[in-house]
C-alpha cells in the first residue's frame, strides 16, 4: 500500500505542478512521424516489418512513433491462439487502401499513387521526409493513472503556430501496449514472440475528438478519462507496459504530428529548447577545436533549474569534448537556473584527436523540477581525418545489421581512416560540404528498399561529380531502381544514377542458382580473386541481381553461368565506381570479401590503376613482383598459404635489409625508395618454413 500511495501522491504533485505551466511549445516545430503498421501473427514477413519499425524508432527517438494494428486474414486466430484484433482495425485498413501485409501508413500521407498504405521498404524514407516538414500545430500530453480504479486521466494541449489547412481537426488517443508475448510466424520465437506497440484501444473513438479552432495562436485544452479493463479479448491489459499515443489529424486523414507518453505519469511537457546558431555538421582536425554556438531557452517559470551534460557514443577514444557557459568549461554535467524565454548562450567544443572519425555529440538539457518531462537535446557532428565513409542504407535494418562486414574488411586492408554513418546523415554531410577529404564512399545497401531515395542519389552523384569514388553493393538494387515492378521504387533520378554513374544494365532479378561469385579471369583488377559461395542471409530470399556493364564499364565477376554477370566497374573522367549485385555479407568466404575490399580500395584511389596495374597483375600471375626493376615500390603476390607470414628481403651479400608482416592480403606493397641500387632476394617465412627466393632489382 505504501508503494501505491507514494506513486499516486507523486503523480498528483506532478500533475499539480504541470498545471502551472504550458504543456506545449509555442515555437513552430517539425512534424513527428506516426507509423500505423498493419500486421498479423500468421504473416511470415511481418517480423521484418516490426524490425524496420523498431529501427525507425531507434534512429529517431522522440520524433517517430508506431502503432501495430493486427488486422486482416493474418490476424484471425486459429484454435486457442490469442485474438489481437480491435474494433478499429478494419476501418483504418480500408482507409489506407492496403493490398498486402505488412503494409503501413506514415502520417496517413499519400506519397505516391492514390493510397496511403505502402510496403515496408518505403517506411523509413517516408518518415524521414515527414520529419522535415513543419507542423501547423504543436501537441502536449500528460497521462496519469489511478490504480485503484484503473482510471487514466489524459490532458491534451494544442497550440497552433500557423493556420491549419483544414478548419476541422481531430485529437486522437491510441492506447498501445508493449511486451505482449504470443505466437508469430516467421519471428523465430514460436509462441513466445514479443509483440510491441500493439494497439489495444482508441480512447477518442474511431476518428477522434473534433477541434474547430485551428487558426494561428489558438490554444486548445482537453481532458479525457478512460477506465482500462483488466483485459482485451482475454489478453491482459498491463498498464505498466502501456503508452498513450496522441496525434492530431486533418479531417480523418492527414496526421499533422503526434507524441507518445507513458500511460503512468507520462508527459511531453515542453521544458524549452536548444537552438543551434549555425550548422550542425562541421569539419575538424587535431590542430584546432571545432566550435558550435547555441542558445538554451526555458519554457518554464523563472528560476527553474536545468541540468546540462554532453555525451557521445561513437567518438574515438582520443577525442575530447566540453561545453562553455558564462566563461566556464564543463566536461561532465552542471546545473543552471534559467528564466523563462531568456536565452542562455552555450558553446560546444569538440577537439578531435589523431584518430579519424565522424562523431556525434549530444548536448542534453534536463529539467530538475519536472524529471518526467522529456529532455531537450541537440546533436552536433564533426568529421576529421576520414578518407573512407561507409554509408548504411536507410530503407531497413539489414544494412546496419551487416555494417560490420565493411568495417572488418576495411580494417583487414589496413584502412584505419574510415567512419560510418547512415544514408540520411550522408545527405546532410554532402549538403554541409564537410566531405572534401573523403576519397571513397562504401554504400552498404544490403537488401533494403528503396535502395536509394532521390535525395540520397542526388548527394551521391554530387560526391562523384566532385571527383570522388564509390563502391555500392546490395541485393535487388537493380530490381528496385530499374525493373519498373509495381512494388519497386525507381525514379528518373535514381535511374540516372544507375545508368550513367554505375554504368550498369539491369538484366533480371536473379535466383538461387546464382550461388557462386566467380572473378572474370581476364580482369586486371579482380581476375585472381578466388571463388566463393554466395549464401542466403535473408531467411529464404536469395535474388542476386544479374547485371551487364554499360558503355565503358567492365564486368568483373559472374555467377556459375558465365553469361550472368554479378559486378561491374566503371572509370569516368573524374570518378570511379564499383557495383556488386549482391551485398558483401552474402559472400561466404571472409578472406574473399576482405580481398575484394582491399583491391577495390586500391583501384578506387588509384594506387594500382590503368596500364601499369594491368601489367602488374599479369606479372604477378607468373609469381614475379612488379615492377621489377623497382624504383620507389614494388608489389608482391602472396598466395593464400603465404598469408600471415613474414616477408624478408636480403641484399646480394646475404644481409637482411627489410622485413614486414603479411596480413590477409593477396597483394602487398613494399617500399624500396630507401634501398641502395642493386640486386636483392626476398622470400616468405612461416612456421619455420621458407619459400623459394625471388630476385628483386632496385634502381634509382
Amino acid at each position: 500500500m505504501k508503494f501505491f500511495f507514494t506513486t499516486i501522491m507523486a503523480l498528483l504533485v506532478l500533475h499539480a505542478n504541470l498545471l502551472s505551466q504550458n504543456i506545449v511549445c509555442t515555437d513552430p516545430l517539425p512534424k513527428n512521424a506516426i507509423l500505423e503498421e498493419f500486421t498479423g501473427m500468421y504473416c511470415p514477413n511481418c517480423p521484418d516489418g516490426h524490425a524496420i519499425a523498431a529501427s525507425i524508432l531507434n534512429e529517431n527517438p522522440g520524433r517517430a512513433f508506431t502503432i501495430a494494428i493486427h488486422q486482416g486474414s493474418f490476424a484471425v486466430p486459429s484454435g486457442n491462439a490469442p485474438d489481437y484484433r480491435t474494433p478499429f482495425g478494419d476501418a483504418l485498413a480500408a482507409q489506407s487502401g492496403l493490398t498486402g501485409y505488412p503494409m503501413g501508413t506514415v502520417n496517413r500521407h499519400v506519397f505516391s499513387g492514390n493510397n496511403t498504405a505502402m510496403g515496408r521498404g518505403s517506411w523509413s524514407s517516408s518518415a524521414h521526409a515527414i520529419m522535415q516538414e513543419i507542423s501547423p500545430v504543436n501537441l502536449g500530453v500528460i497521462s496519469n493513472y489511478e490504480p485503484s480504479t484503473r482510471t487514466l486521466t489524459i490532458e491534451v494541449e494544442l497550440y497552433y503556430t500557423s493556420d491549419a489547412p483544414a478548419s476541422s481537426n481531430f485529437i486522437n488517443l491510441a492506447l498501445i501496449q508493449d511486451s505482449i508475448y504470443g505466437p508469430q510466424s516467421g519471428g523465430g520465437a514460436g509462441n513466445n514472440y514479443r509483440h510491441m506497440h500493439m494497439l489495444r484501444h482508441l480512447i477518442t473513438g474511431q476518428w477522434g475528438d473534433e477541434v474547430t479552432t485551428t487558426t494561428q495562436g489558438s490554444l486548445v485544452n482537453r481532458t479525457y478519462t478512460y477506465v482500462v479493463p483488466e483485459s482485451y479479448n482475454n489478453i491482459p491489459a498491463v498498464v505498466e507496459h502501456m503508452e498513450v499515443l496522441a496525434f492530431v489529424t486533418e479531417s480523418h486523414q492527414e496526421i499533422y504530428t503526434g507524441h507518445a507518453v507513458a500511460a503512468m505519469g507520462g508527459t511531453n511537457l515542453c521544458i524549452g529548447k536548444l537552438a543551434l546558431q549555425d550548422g550542425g555538421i562541421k569539419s575538424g582536425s587535431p590542430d584546432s577545436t571545432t566550435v558550435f554556438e547555441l542558445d538554451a531557452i526555458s519554457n518554464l517559470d523563472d528560476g527553474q533549474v536545468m541540468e546540462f551534460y554532453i555525451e557521445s557514443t561513437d567518438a574515438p577514444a582520443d577525442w575530447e569534448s566540453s561545453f562553455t557557459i558564462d566563461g566556464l568549461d564543463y566536461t561532465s554535467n552542471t546545473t543552471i537556473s534559467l528564466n523563462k524565454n531568456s536565452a542562455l548562450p552555450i558553446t560546444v567544443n569538440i577537439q578531435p584527436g589523431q584518430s579519424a572519425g565522424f562523431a556525434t555529440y549530444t548536448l542534453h538539457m534536463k529539467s530538475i523540477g519536472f524529471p518526467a518531462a522529456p529532455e531537450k537535446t541537440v546533436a552536433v557532428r564533426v568529421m576529421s581525418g576520414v578518407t573512407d565513409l561507409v554509408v548504411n542504407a536507410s530503407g531497413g535494418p539489414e544494412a546496419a545489421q551487416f555494417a560490420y562486414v565493411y568495417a572488418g574488411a576495411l580494417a583487414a586492408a589496413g584502412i584505419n581512416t574510415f567512419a560510418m554513418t547512415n544514408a540520411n546523415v550522408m545527405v546532410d554531410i554532402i549538403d554541409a560540404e564537410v566531405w572534401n577529404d573523403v576519397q571513397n564512399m562504401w554504400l552498404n545497401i544490403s537488401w533494403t528498399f528503396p535502395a536509394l531515395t532521390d535525395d540520397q542519389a542526388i548527394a551521391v552523384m554530387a560526391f562523384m561529380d566532385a571527383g570522388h569514388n564509390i563502391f555500392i553493393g546490395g541485393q535487388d538494387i537493380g530490381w528496385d531502381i530499374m525493373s519498373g515492378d509495381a512494388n519497386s521504387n525507381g525514379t528518373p533520378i535514381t535511374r540516372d544514377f544507375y545508368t550513367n554513374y554505375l554504368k550498369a544494365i539491369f538484366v533480371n532479378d536473379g535466383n538461387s542458382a546464382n550461388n557462386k561469385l566467380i572473378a572474370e579471369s581476364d580482369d586486371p583488377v579482380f581476375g585472381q580473386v578466388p571463388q566463393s559461395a554466395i549464401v542466403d542471409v535473408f531467411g529464404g530470399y536469395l535474388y542476386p541481381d544479374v547485371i551487364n556493364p554499360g558503355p565503358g564499364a567492365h564486368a568483373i565477376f559472374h555467377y556459375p553461368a558465365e553469361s550472368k554477370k554479378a559486378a561491374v566497374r566503371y572509370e569516368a573522367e573524374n570518378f570511379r565506381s564499383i557495383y556488386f549485385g549482391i551485398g558483401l555479407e552474402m559472400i561466404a568466404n571472409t578472406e574473399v570479401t576482405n580481398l575484394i575490399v582491399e583491391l577495390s580500395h586500391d583501384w578506387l584511389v588509384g594506387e594500382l590503376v590503368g596500364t601499369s596495374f594491368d601489367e602488374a597483375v599479369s606479372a604477378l600471375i607468373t609469381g614475379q613482383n612488379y615492377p621489377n626493376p623497382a624504383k620507389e615500390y614494388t608489389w608482391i603476390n602472396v598466395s593464400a598459404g603465404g598469408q600471415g607470414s613474414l616477408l624478408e628481403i636480403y641484399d646480394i651479400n646475404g644481409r637482411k635489409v627489410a622485413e614486414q608482416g603479411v596480413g590477409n592480403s593477396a597483394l602487398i606493397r613494399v617500399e624500396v625508395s630507401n634501398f641502395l641500387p642493386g640486386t636483392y632476394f626476398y622470400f616468405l617465412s612461416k612456421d619455420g618454413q621458407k619459400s623459394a627466393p625471388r630476385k628483386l632489382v632496385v634502381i634509382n
Side-chain angles (χ1 to χ4, degrees), residues 94-113:
Q95 181 197 54
S96 75
L98 64 81
T99 57
Y101 299 84
M103 296 191 81
T105 73
V106 175
N107 288 47
R108 298 182 185 171
H109 181 77
V110 177
F111 288 89
S112 63

Side-chain angles (χ1 to χ4, degrees), residues 380-401:
V380 298
R381 295 182 170 96
V382 176
M383 182 177 290
S384 174
V386 175
T387 61
D388 291 78
L389 187 65
V390 179
V391 177
N392 300 318
S394 62
E398 290 83 2
Q401 177 184 351

Side-chain angles (χ1 to χ4, degrees), residues 12-302:
L12 290 175
V13 170
L14 173 65
H15 184 67
N17 287 341
L18 289 179
L19 290 178
S20 68
Q21 308 287 339
N22 285 331
I23 308 171
V24 70
C25 290
T26 55
D27 291 328
L29 295 175
K31 295 178 179 179
N32 289 337
I34 309 298
L35 168 64
E36 293 175 297
E37 177 190 1
F38 295 95
T39 186
M41 60 184 167
Y42 299 124
C43 166
N45 293 327
C46 285
D48 188 54
H50 304 158
I52 292 172
S55 71
I56 295 172
L57 269 60
N58 291 337
E59 292 173 6
N60 303 280
R63 296 294 317 282
F65 307 93
T66 188
I67 308 172
I69 303 166
H70 287 251
Q71 182 276 336
S73 59
F74 288 124
V76 178
S78 175
N80 295 323
D83 189 352
Y84 296 141
R85 296 173 298 174
T86 70
F88 313 102
D90 289 346
L92 294 172
Q95 181 197 54
S96 75
L98 64 81
T99 57
Y101 299 84
M103 296 191 81
T105 73
V106 175
N107 288 47
R108 298 182 185 171
H109 181 77
V110 177
F111 288 89
S112 63
N114 299 314
N115 296 322
T116 59
M118 66 188 87
R120 61 192 185 277
S122 300
W123 297 350
S124 180
S125 59
S126 299
H128 180 74
I130 282 290
M131 290 186 291
Q132 309 312 304
E133 300 178 5
I134 299 298
S135 171
V137 61
N138 297 340
L139 177 149
V141 190
I142 306 170
S143 178
N144 284 316
Y145 177 65
E146 169 54 62
S148 63
T149 60
R150 296 185 65 84
T151 300
L152 286 173
T153 300
I154 304 160
E155 184 177 356
V156 177
E157 193 171 82
L158 308 183
Y159 182 82
Y160 284 83
T161 60
S162 63
D163 293 345
S167 59
S168 179
N169 295 170
F170 290 83
I171 296 171
N172 296 261
L173 298 178
L175 189 62
I176 57 179
Q177 183 174 336
D178 286 346
S179 301
I180 297 176
Y181 289 88
Q184 177 65 61
S185 297
N191 291 327
N192 201 36
Y193 186 86
R194 187 186 184 196
H195 294 276
M196 302 292 287
H197 318 297
M198 186 188 294
L199 176 64
R200 308 310 308 273
H201 192 69
L202 291 178
I203 295 172
T204 47
Q206 183 76 57
W207 304 114
D209 181 27
E210 188 173 18
V211 175
T212 55
T213 52
T214 64
T215 55
Q216 184 176 6
S218 296
L219 181 67
V220 178
N221 192 287
R222 301 277 173 90
T223 301
Y224 305 89
T225 59
Y226 174 68
V227 177
V228 182
E230 295 287 343
S231 64
Y232 297 93
N233 295 342
N234 296 317
I235 300 163
V238 183
V239 182
E240 289 83 356
H241 295 167
M242 287 182 168
E243 290 184 318
V244 175
L245 175 52
F247 57 95
V248 184
T249 61
E250 174 186 314
S251 182
H252 299 316
Q253 183 75 21
E254 192 86 14
I255 295 177
Y256 291 143
T257 195
H259 206 286
V261 302
M264 299 179 64
T267 179
N268 71 333
L269 166 71
C270 178
I271 66 170
K273 65 180 179 180
L274 292 171
L276 272 170
Q277 301 304 308
D278 53 7
I281 300 180
K282 295 184 178 182
S283 294
S285 77
D287 302 323
S288 61
T289 300
T290 303
V291 175
F292 299 86
E293 303 287 346
L294 54 93
D295 289 329
I297 302 173
S298 173
N299 190 51
L300 305 179
D301 293 338
D302 289 355

Side-chain angles (χ1 to χ4, degrees), residues 618-689:
S618 296
L620 291 171
I621 292 173
T622 69
Q624 181 60 51
N625 61 290
Y626 184 91
N628 194 24
K631 187 173 183 179
E632 296 181 352
Y633 64 89
T634 191
W635 291 90
I636 297 176
N637 185 40
V638 180
S639 66
Q643 293 171 18
S645 61
L646 181 69
L647 172 69
E648 299 180 58
I649 303 176
Y650 291 81
D651 65 15
I652 195 69
N653 297 313
R655 292 188 294 264
K656 183 188 292 188
V657 296
E659 68 177 29
Q660 69 184 70
V662 178
N664 298 321
S665 173
L667 285 174
I668 59 173
R669 175 170 168 148
V670 179
E671 301 293 336
V672 297
S673 57
N674 61 343
F675 285 20
L676 294 174
T679 300
Y680 296 82
F681 296 91
Y682 65 88
F683 55 82
L684 299 176
S685 60
K686 181 180 181 182
D687 299 328
Q689 302 294 317

Side-chain angles (χ1 to χ4, degrees), residues 223-564:
T223 301
Y224 305 89
T225 59
Y226 174 68
V227 177
V228 182
E230 295 287 343
S231 64
Y232 297 93
N233 295 342
N234 296 317
I235 300 163
V238 183
V239 182
E240 289 83 356
H241 295 167
M242 287 182 168
E243 290 184 318
V244 175
L245 175 52
F247 57 95
V248 184
T249 61
E250 174 186 314
S251 182
H252 299 316
Q253 183 75 21
E254 192 86 14
I255 295 177
Y256 291 143
T257 195
H259 206 286
V261 302
M264 299 179 64
T267 179
N268 71 333
L269 166 71
C270 178
I271 66 170
K273 65 180 179 180
L274 292 171
L276 272 170
Q277 301 304 308
D278 53 7
I281 300 180
K282 295 184 178 182
S283 294
S285 77
D287 302 323
S288 61
T289 300
T290 303
V291 175
F292 299 86
E293 303 287 346
L294 54 93
D295 289 329
I297 302 173
S298 173
N299 190 51
L300 305 179
D301 293 338
D302 289 355
Q304 289 289 335
V305 177
M306 300 289 187
E307 179 185 12
F308 295 90
Y309 64 98
I310 191 169
E311 65 176 359
S312 176
T313 60
D314 58 6
D318 61 347
W319 288 33
E320 297 178 353
S321 66
S322 65
F323 59 95
T324 305
I325 301 176
D326 292 333
L328 297 177
D329 292 338
Y330 303 93
T331 57
S332 56
N333 66 318
T334 189
T335 55
I336 304 288
S337 176
L338 300 183
N339 291 328
K340 186 173 184 177
N341 296 328
S342 179
L344 173 70
I346 300 179
T347 302
V348 172
N349 317 296
I350 310 301
Q351 178 62 63
Q354 295 299 320
S355 300
F358 177 57
T360 300
Y361 290 87
T362 303
L363 183 71
H364 298 252
M365 181 173 76
K366 179 180 180 180
S367 169
I368 299 300
F370 302 102
E375 298 178 0
K376 292 298 178 180
T377 62
V378 65
V380 298
R381 295 182 170 96
V382 176
M383 182 177 290
S384 174
V386 175
T387 61
D388 291 78
L389 187 65
V390 179
V391 177
N392 300 318
S394 62
E398 290 83 2
Q401 177 184 351
F402 293 109
Y404 73 89
V405 176
Y406 288 80
L410 286 168
I415 311 301
N416 58 10
T417 53
F418 72 89
M420 192 171 295
T421 190
N422 66 60
N424 291 328
V425 175
M426 177 268 294
V427 175
D428 297 334
I429 290 171
I430 302 299
D431 290 345
E433 298 183 351
V434 301
W435 43 272
N436 290 333
D437 292 334
V438 179
Q439 298 171 332
N440 312 302
M441 278 204 303
W442 303 78
L443 297 171
N444 168 27
I445 306 301
S446 188
W447 191 46
T448 63
F449 306 95
L452 291 169
T453 67
D454 281 356
D455 286 348
Q456 293 163 6
I458 289 170
V460 173
M461 289 187 287
F463 178 80
M464 298 171 76
D465 286 339
H468 307 274
N469 313 304
I470 72 160
F471 177 106
I472 182 170
Q475 176 174 270
D476 280 346
I477 295 174
W479 175 87
D480 189 48
I481 293 177
M482 301 300 295
S483 71
D485 186 277
N487 295 312
S488 64
N489 299 283
T491 69
I493 291 173
T494 57
R495 285 191 285 270
D496 176 33
F497 166 73
Y498 191 91
T499 302
N500 297 315
Y501 286 76
L502 301 184
K503 283 295 181 179
I505 300 171
F506 173 68
V507 178
N508 61 54
D509 193 19
N511 54 49
S512 58
N514 298 343
N515 57 9
K516 280 188 179 179
L517 185 68
I518 304 169
E520 297 282 320
S521 59
D522 61 349
D523 182 73
V525 181
F526 299 97
Q528 299 306 302
V529 173
Q531 295 184 19
S532 175
I534 295 173
V535 294
D536 172 19
V537 297
F538 304 118
Y541 298 93
L542 186 62
Y543 302 113
D545 276 353
V546 178
I547 54 181
N548 281 336
H554 303 278
I556 55 178
F557 286 89
H558 62 264
Y559 301 116
E562 189 171 355
S563 61
K564 295 182 177 182

Side-chain angles (χ1 to χ4, degrees), residues 402-410 412-413 442 471 517 526 529-535 557 580 582-601 664:
F402 293 109
Y404 73 89
V405 176
Y406 288 80
L410 286 168
W442 303 78
F471 177 106
L517 185 68
F526 299 97
V529 173
Q531 295 184 19
S532 175
I534 295 173
V535 294
F557 286 89
F580 275 72
I582 58 171
L584 292 184
E585 68 275 13
M586 300 169 68
I587 300 174
N589 189 317
T590 301
E591 292 185 355
V592 170
T593 302
N594 293 347
L595 179 56
I596 287 172
V597 168
E598 181 174 10
L599 292 175
S600 296
H601 177 271
N664 298 321

